Amino acid sequence: MDFLGEIMEKRTLRETLHSGYGQSFDVDQVFFELDTDHQHLIIFENETFGRIMALDGVIQTTERDEFIYHEMMAHVPLFAHGDAKRVLIIGGGDGGMLREVLRHPEVESVTQVEIDQAVVDMCKEYLPNHSAGAFDDPKATVVIADGVDYVSETSDKFDVIISDCTDPIGPGEVLFSSRFYEGCKRCLNEGGIFVAQNGVSFMQIDEVSTTAKRLSPYFSDVSFYSAAVPTYVGGIMTFAWGTDNESARSVEASVIRERFEKAGFKTRFYTPELHAAAFALPQYVIDAI
Ligand code: SAM
């Protein structure tokens, strides 16, 4: 088959996040595809990134590079906090974040609030290495609900809140609202830390400005940290940071290393030194905050 025929024959998924630009993936095999009650969900095989999940045409997670994102979003707030017992994850239906949070021996309970049961069910079945049994951990409780309602209504309190959400489109849009941030503040314990995926700053710089503006009324320390995740195209991904614990963002790498070594688990991307460095931001991101 000639080259064009090959392309026409192979199904490809072209990401729809950015207008006029996007990465595409050969779809070697579709494991599952459905219009759920909330979004279009597909899980497919790609020879370079392994199994991939996309929601509403936007890449959410791949087997090959998920460890970067999940390690940086879980371990930075947890090692900065130092003694988080109760953790809330908003979104995170693939289970990767839950897996990483549960590696911290000091964590006594993790509540995960995911809007779409289908994402949890299909990721358990077709992306089993993401959760790696985390959903069955007795410390874990999965609640199927809209995260913005949960944080506005729960009487529970948490030491760390991780918003592992989609982009601010579709069901994920409310997770970038003032109402959501207000709700997160109300259910954080004293000294608690809030973090959220906040997009690829070079491509979505307005989201940095908007999040900084919307978080500021609720937290005395609002900033970002970053990591480059290959399939979140366009450069570094920024993670929003909100806390009243103003020393949390500048814990010495030596202290983080002590906590890391005491926790006693191995990572593939996160290091205490990278943790400290991740808060150093490019000037254009600083200007946008
Ligand atoms: N790593 C991905 C990223 O950075 O784009 C996010 C991964 S995770 C799959 C995103 C999850 O957020 C999905 O499971 C989606 O169903 C969930 N979600 C979207 N809107 C939500 C909401 N309002 N409340 C709770 N979960 C939500």
Side-chain angles (χ1 to χ4, degrees):
M1 182 178 295
D2 66 20
F3 181 66
L4 184 59
E6 175 80 15
I7 290 184
M8 297 310 282
E9 179 68 19
K10 260 191 193 301
R11 186 173 166 192
T12 60
L13 180 138
R14 187 178 187 284
E15 193 170 41
T16 57
L17 185 57
H18 307 299
S19 55
Y21 162 78
Q23 60 183 337
S24 71
F25 295 83
D26 288 349
V27 179
D28 299 329
Q29 182 186 351
V30 177
F31 294 105
F32 183 80
E33 186 166 11
L34 173 74
D35 276 320
T36 76
D37 294 341
H38 302 280
Q39 51 209 337
H40 176 265
L41 163 59
I42 184 170
I43 300 176
F44 64 95
E45 178 77 34
N46 170 270
E47 66 178 307
T48 303
F49 281 96
R51 295 188 178 193
I52 299 175
M53 173 173 66
L55 292 173
D56 287 338
V58 179
I59 301 302
Q60 298 298 307
T61 189
T62 84
E63 279 185 319
R64 185 144 176 228
D65 69 356
E66 58 85 10
F67 68 97
I68 301 171
Y69 170 85
H70 291 123
E71 288 185 16
M72 287 302 281
M73 270 200 83
H75 305 323
V76 170
L78 286 169
F79 282 125
H81 184 286
D83 189 27
K85 295 185 170 48
R86 299 177 54 77
V87 178
L88 173 63
I89 298 170
I90 303 293
D94 52 80
M97 201 62 71
L98 184 60
R99 177 197 76 214
E100 289 302 314
V101 168
L102 286 167
R103 300 176 77 186
H104 288 255
E106 77 281 4
V107 170
E108 294 169 0
S109 84
V110 191
T111 300
Q112 173 158 359
V113 181
E114 162 60 51
I115 199 166
D116 199 333
Q117 179 74 55
V119 176
V120 176
D121 294 345
M122 291 307 109
C123 288
K124 274 183 187 172
E125 181 162 357
Y126 297 112
L127 285 173
N129 300 326
H130 272 62
S131 52
F135 285 121
D136 301 322
D137 190 303
K139 290 182 185 176
T141 305
V142 178
V143 174
I144 300 300
D146 189 325
V148 70
D149 297 335
Y150 183 87
V151 295
S152 305
E153 294 157 13
T154 184
S155 55
D156 278 353
K157 291 278 193 182
F158 302 95
D159 300 306
V160 165
I161 298 177
I162 300 171
S163 180
D164 178 13
C165 54
T166 43
D167 287 276
I169 48 175
E173 194 168 3
V174 292
L175 304 182
F176 293 80
S177 67
S178 296
R179 179 171 170 241
F180 176 66
Y181 297 140
E182 184 178 26
C184 288
K185 175 59 185 282
R186 71 176 280 277
C187 54
L188 262 182
N189 283 321
E190 195 176 332
I193 298 172
F194 166 81
V195 296
Q197 84 84 1
N198 209 91
V200 172
S201 53
F202 185 77
M203 305 300 294
Q204 299 160 284
I205 193 64
D206 292 348
E207 289 177 34
V208 170
S209 309
T210 304
T211 297
K213 203 165 36 251
R214 291 181 182 168
L215 274 176
S216 297
Y218 307 109
F219 296 107
S220 57
D221 183 34
V222 170
S223 191
F224 295 81
Y225 63 102
S226 75
V229 184
T231 50
Y232 301 150
V233 285
I236 56 169
M237 168 170 261
T238 47
F239 305 105
W241 173 273
T243 183
D244 290 336
N245 176 356
E246 300 193 9
S247 62
R249 182 157 54 99
S250 49
V251 177
E252 289 290 323
S254 56
V255 173
I256 299 290
R257 175 148 296 276
E258 263 172 48
R259 293 173 180 173
F260 178 61
E261 286 171 4
K262 187 166 164 247
F265 59 81
K266 184 151 175 35
T267 53
R268 296 170 59 200
F269 185 86
Y270 174 93
T271 70
E273 295 70 30
L274 196 61
H275 170 139
F279 286 98
L281 296 170
Q283 190 60 50
Y284 79 92
V285 175
I286 295 169
D287 294 344
I289 294 176

